[in-house]
């Protein structure tokens, strides 16, 4: 449960991921799912750390502020 009920979903998880720098990025397999920003920005961070795009699966299931179809 989030301490701040007004915090954007996924923000704490994204902050944790941004604090992670893999020692051997070629060994990383990542699966990022959740709110759109978490998935997209998490992927960008890992790619910037040297993780190959092909080794990252990601999906933003929903976006804050947009109604589901």
């Amino acid at each position: 449960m989030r301490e701040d009920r007004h915090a954007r979903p996924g923000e704490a998880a994204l902050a944790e991921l941004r604090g992670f720098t893999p020692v051997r990025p070629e060994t990383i397999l990542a699966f990022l799912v959740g709110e759109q920003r978490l998935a997209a920005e998490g992927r960008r961070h890992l790619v910037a750390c040297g993780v190959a795009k092909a080794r990252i699966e990601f999906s933003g299931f929903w976006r804050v502020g947009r109604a589901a179809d």
Side-chain angles (χ1 to χ4, degrees):
M1 187 166 152
R2 289 188 299 270
E3 291 180 22
D4 178 0
R5 66 186 193 111
H6 299 291
R8 183 183 184 110
E11 198 63 38
L14 185 55
E16 286 293 318
L17 180 59
R18 287 178 176 146
F20 169 72
T21 304
V23 175
R24 296 180 51 212
E26 69 278 4
T27 66
I28 299 295
L29 289 173
F31 183 69
L32 304 167
V33 296
E35 198 274 332
Q36 183 273 333
R37 184 171 171 230
L38 168 64
E41 291 189 23
R43 180 176 187 256
R44 285 186 198 109
H45 169 73
L46 291 174
V47 169
C49 289
V51 178
K53 289 179 182 178
R55 297 181 65 87
I56 305 168
E57 294 290 331
F58 73 113
S59 181
F61 289 120
W62 55 282
R63 181 177 289 177
V64 169
R66 296 203 48 188
D69 292 334

